[in-house]
Amino acid sequence: MNYDRTYAEIDLGAIRRNAEAIKAYAGKRLIAVVKADAYGHSVVPVTEALRSVADMFAVATIEEGVSLRQAGIHEPILVLFSAFPEQAAHIVEYRLTPTIGDWEFANKLNKIAASTVAVHININTGMNRSGVRWTEAAQFLTRLKTLDRLEVSGFFTHLATADEVDKRYVFVQLERFSSVLEKISNGSELIHAANSAAVLAVPGAHFDAVRSGLSLYGVYPASEKPIELEPALTWKTRIGWVGSISEAEGVSYGLTYKASRQTRIAMLQVGYGDGYPRALSGVGEVLIDGTRRPIIGRICMDVSVIELQPKDNVSIGDEVVLIGKQGDAAITVDELAHHTGTISYEILTQIGTRVKRIFNY
Ligand SMILES: *Cc1c(COP(=O)(O)O)cnc(C)c1O
């Protein structure tokens, strides 16, 4: 029995099966992207569950890499963004694989390293947010060779439009990447470019390894669905109060909802302080007994209100599904993203720390 007001059930078996399916589909090595607390799924249990499948893990920051090492993860960990020079010591101390995207950090890392450090080079082929510009990559590599402690063990690029229907710019980026690799690769480095969208939609982007994030968690980045993925997260809350209002009475801050007749309502123990988007006010739906009920009025920091049907037999403490399946009904992460004008990535990573994660193996 669990008495938490709101909790997310994480199906670690589903995450592992998704990873296996993605890896088998690409037929390449898998770099499992577990940044931002594994997209809200809790990074340590997720990483442990993926140990047998992933060839490498990727995080966004040095701090994320350090906390994985402190949790006993000894597999290779790629830090996707160039660190600040003052963080170079952590790379060495925690045996992280840094991304090199500028000279200053490379130089600093070389200075403090006592032995060889394996690094990946980020080649900017048109995403234009990080990395060495493709036109300057050959020159950069020549200069990097003067830093004798750094060993280039990987080259990668990141695609800006792999999730769009029009893939023309993807091929422009891949052509830039391939032509520069011809000049700078000796054939031994790990070459990677594909995020989830490119893994599922652009086989020409697979190279030696694929860098999957979102799809590991069973959410598709775009319309292409060549393999079956299982959503890994179910988000639940519980009923905290049941009431009844008369015609023309309002609900919650601003009384934005007005009852058109005698209406039974219930309060849910979840609000925007838990990452349940306030933009779902008046438009979101939840599941009770396998059927949908609308969110009415404004979502508050800690609680929300739904409209009940006259026949609903609900009590305080009953389970309500915000994301996931209940009976034959389901509410997807994409549905919440659609209602709130954002992307699934943001919905997942905003699920707050007050939401207890419970793991199924
Ligand atoms: C976040 C990230 C990924 C993973 O992207 P998904 O769309 O979640 O698969 C891959 N590569 C880089 C550089 C990233 O920042």
Side-chain angles (χ1 to χ4, degrees):
M1 208 43 188
N2 128 62
Y3 296 98
D4 290 286
R5 47 187 279 287
T6 176
Y7 46 97
E9 293 168 358
I10 311 296
D11 186 343
L12 296 171
I15 295 175
R16 201 193 60 250
R17 288 188 295 277
N18 291 336
E20 284 165 351
I22 292 160
K23 190 172 172 175
Y25 177 71
K28 298 295 166 67
R29 276 185 263 182
L30 175 65
I31 302 173
V33 182
V34 294
K35 61 190 181 186
D37 204 25
Y39 294 49
H41 294 66
S42 199
V43 68
V44 172
V46 166
T47 304
E48 283 171 348
L50 288 177
R51 272 187 151 153
S52 58
V53 195
D55 298 280
M56 189 175 209
F57 293 104
V59 294
T61 70
I62 303 256
E63 291 83 352
E64 290 177 337
V66 169
S67 59
L68 279 182
R69 285 282 181 257
Q70 287 172 339
I73 303 296
H74 48 70
E75 283 79 0
I77 299 174
L78 175 65
V79 181
L80 290 167
F81 293 94
S82 304
F84 298 114
E86 63 269 24
Q87 292 177 303
H90 296 296
I91 295 278
V92 175
E93 184 180 350
Y94 290 95
R95 293 165 292 102
L96 303 172
T97 306
T99 290
I100 301 290
D102 64 88
W103 175 257
E104 202 194 343
F105 179 68
N107 196 29
K108 173 84 183 195
L109 186 61
N110 187 67
K111 274 208 183 93
I112 62 152
S115 57
T116 308
V117 179
V119 303
H120 284 211
I121 310 292
N122 176 8
I123 314 263
N124 172 23
T125 59
M127 173 75 175
N128 296 327
R129 69 170 186 191
S130 61
V132 181
R133 192 173 170 82
W134 87 97
T135 50
E136 292 155 15
Q139 222 184 348
F140 185 83
L141 262 290
T142 305
R143 198 171 170 207
L144 202 72
K145 287 206 178 85
T146 65
L147 303 179
D148 58 352
R149 298 266 159 81
L150 303 192
E151 180 188 283
V152 178
S153 64
F155 288 114
F156 75 90
T157 194
H158 195 50
L159 302 169
T161 61
D163 61 343
E164 290 178 14
V165 175
D166 182 347
K167 298 285 192 288
R168 277 175 295 183
Y169 192 68
V170 172
F171 295 112
V172 169
Q173 286 195 266
L174 291 177
E175 173 51 35
R176 289 171 180 171
F177 190 46
S178 296
S179 67
V180 75
L181 285 174
E182 266 174 43
K183 291 185 218 150
I184 61 177
S185 168
N186 64 23
S188 70
E189 307 91 354
L190 191 72
I191 311 292
H192 49 105
N195 56 1
S196 291
V199 178
L200 300 176
V202 189
H206 291 176
F207 295 97
D208 300 328
V210 296
R211 242 174 20 242
S212 299
L214 188 72
S215 51
L216 295 174
Y217 310 103
V219 180
Y220 293 91
S223 58
E224 292 97 342
K225 300 177 179 176
I227 52 174
E228 191 80 33
L229 300 172
E230 302 171 55
L233 178 139
T234 300
W235 188 3
K236 294 177 177 172
T237 184
R238 308 173 83 206
I239 289 179
W241 175 87
V242 182
S244 188
I245 54 174
S246 307
E247 184 187 337
E249 278 196 276
V251 167
S252 187
Y253 291 117
L255 306 175
T256 53
Y257 165 91
K258 289 271 186 335
S260 58
R261 66 186 99 82
Q262 176 82 17
T263 304
R264 289 182 71 223
I265 59 177
M267 177 267 270
L268 309 181
Q269 301 256 25
V270 68
Y272 63 79
D274 303 295
Y276 194 61
R278 187 170 176 274
L280 290 174
S281 299
V283 292
E285 292 183 321
V286 302
L287 302 178
I288 291 179
D289 284 335
T291 55
R292 288 172 176 260
R293 294 289 175 266
I295 302 271
I296 56 173
R298 289 199 186 130
I299 290 172
C300 308
M301 188 184 291
D302 313 297
V303 300
S304 310
V305 181
I306 59 169
E307 181 179 334
L308 297 173
Q309 291 294 314
K311 63 173 170 40
D312 285 344
N313 181 22
V314 301
S315 323
I316 290 173
D318 282 2
E319 187 173 282
V320 177
V321 170
L322 307 171
I323 293 175
K325 277 193 204 160
Q326 195 185 53
D328 294 331
I331 290 177
T332 64
V333 180
D334 283 320
E335 176 179 332
L336 267 64
H338 175 77
H339 278 319
T340 56
T342 185
I343 54 175
S344 52
Y345 297 78
E346 191 178 32
I347 298 291
L348 288 172
T349 54
Q350 290 304 304
I351 299 175
T353 51
R354 289 202 303 200
V355 182
K356 183 177 180 182
R357 270 61 166 185
I358 296 168
F359 304 98
N360 300 318
Y361 295 85

